[in-house]
Amino acid sequence: MRFELLGPEKLDRDGWEALARESPGGTVYHTADWAGLWPAAFPHFRPVFAVGVEDGRYQAGLPAVVRGRFPFARIYSMPMGAYGGMLVRRGLVGRAEDYFEGLLRALDRLRPCLAEIVDFDGRQGFLSKYGFARREARTHVVDLEASRSLSRQKTKRGAVQSAKRGIVIRDLADEADLSDCHRLLRQRDRGYGQATKYPPGFLRQLWLGLAPRGLARIGLAVRDSRIIGFTADLAFGDTVTYWDGASDPGFRRLRPADALIQATIDWGLKLGCRRLNLGGSPPGADGLVRFKENWGGQARDYGVYTRQAWWYKTISGLRR
């Protein structure tokens, strides 16, 4: 097998999408469409694709974005959303470690001081042999088929109440809607005392680039013509993912978040998805966890593997 490191301009996009769809654990975060969002909104990120080529097609791959250049090049296997990691075609997973060694050699041509790889499905425990340290992360996942039969009183009551209180859910329609979504993100993040990670251009690229391909939707909660909440959802294969969203705290009693999650579930079922990933569940976020559990979310732990050059690890420690 031949291993190459490609930029988006040299990538066979059809071949790459076939690899993502035919690999167990392939997600929207593996797609070239997702990778293409980053340089438009974050010029300091650039996407790369390590690929293993045999018999004229991609048999294995590792998509990533790179920040910085040698000696400060840092590689992330699809950032700020996680669930990236290595792809291997069905039927070849028994050779995954051999493929990873070749893909890592390709990425190491960039001489990164830090590399981070997500192992969401628990198939890449061998990363520890290559100098990667594991830390645990957690999300919550809903079985969408099971959610069909969940009691309205248990989970859907909030969405029903929201509708009775005048909340209407619709898809994002124009640039003015985008401005309202970003306003809600800034309002949320100010409440947490943190900066907003995503510029308006990122949501815009998601709407213009992924939504027309059926990979994303931005749903709005509206009352009396005012947008009081939104979610940005992603879909690929058998999984719909809640990526991000925010609601106006002044309208919390109207329960827009419940109405929005119900709309996300309905979208996933319409697409034939079998599970809903509700996103990161960080330690201490008890209210968020309860909300997810009320919708049938089951905790799912996964590994994030990091390898750092000794000098970069030392510098990072001194900065803390």
Side-chain angles (χ1 to χ4, degrees), residues 223-242:
R223 186 168 188 265
D224 296 333
S225 301
R226 177 172 180 171
I227 297 172
I228 63 171
F230 85 97
T231 59
D233 306 315
L234 307 172
F236 188 85
D238 67 357
T239 302
V240 60
T241 301
Y242 164 78

Side-chain angles (χ1 to χ4, degrees), residues 8 13 31-41 47 49 65 78 202 205 210:
R13 291 177 67 96
T31 64
D33 294 281
W34 178 259
L37 296 180
W38 294 91
F49 301 84
V65 293
M78 292 299 108
F202 190 85
Q205 290 297 321
L210 270 65

Side-chain angles (χ1 to χ4, degrees), residues 7 15 17 25 51 62-63 109 118 141 169 193 208 232-233 247 258 270 282 302 305:
E17 180 161 333
V51 298
L62 183 60
R109 294 171 195 166
V118 175
V141 178
I169 303 298
L208 294 176
D233 306 315
S247 299
D258 288 283
K270 181 180 178 181
Y302 60 95
Y305 287 83

Side-chain angles (χ1 to χ4, degrees), residues 119-299:
D119 179 21
F120 186 66
D121 287 321
R123 296 189 177 95
Q124 299 168 44
F126 51 77
L127 269 71
S128 58
K129 298 180 185 178
Y130 297 88
F132 286 81
R134 177 186 171 105
R135 63 178 171 85
E136 294 292 319
R138 172 171 287 188
T139 186
H140 278 72
V141 178
V142 177
D143 181 333
L144 289 182
E145 284 303 314
S147 76
R148 291 181 189 268
S149 60
L150 288 175
S151 164
R152 172 174 287 189
Q153 295 303 311
K154 183 177 182 182
T155 61
K156 300 180 182 178
R157 180 175 59 189
V160 172
Q161 289 177 352
S162 184
K164 288 180 177 179
R165 293 167 184 172
I167 300 294
V168 175
I169 303 298
R170 66 170 175 84
D171 287 349
L172 186 143
D174 53 35
E175 297 280 353
D177 288 348
L178 277 173
S179 296
D180 281 331
C181 291
H182 209 261
R183 169 183 57 81
L184 290 169
L185 280 179
R186 293 195 305 271
Q187 184 181 38
R188 179 200 67 185
D189 292 337
R190 280 198 304 270
Y192 289 132
Q194 63 188 27
T196 299
K197 291 187 288 189
Y198 310 105
F202 190 85
L203 274 180
R204 185 174 187 275
Q205 290 297 321
L206 188 149
W207 174 52
L208 294 176
L210 270 65
R213 290 176 48 77
L215 298 176
R217 69 179 283 274
I218 298 178
L220 309 177
V222 182
R223 186 168 188 265
D224 296 333
S225 301
R226 177 172 180 171
I227 297 172
I228 63 171
F230 85 97
T231 59
D233 306 315
L234 307 172
F236 188 85
D238 67 357
T239 302
V240 60
T241 301
Y242 164 78
W243 177 69
D244 206 350
S247 299
D248 189 325
F251 292 89
R252 191 170 293 143
R253 64 180 180 81
L254 302 180
R255 307 186 74 162
D258 288 283
L260 287 162
I261 290 296
Q262 183 61 61
T264 299
I265 289 173
D266 292 342
W267 184 58
L269 288 170
K270 181 180 178 181
L271 294 174
C273 295
R274 298 202 303 268
R275 63 180 181 176
L276 163 63
N277 189 320
L278 287 170
S281 303
D286 297 338
L288 176 64
V289 168
R290 282 194 299 272
F291 177 81
K292 294 178 179 182
E293 290 176 343
N294 285 340
W295 281 97
Q298 299 292 315

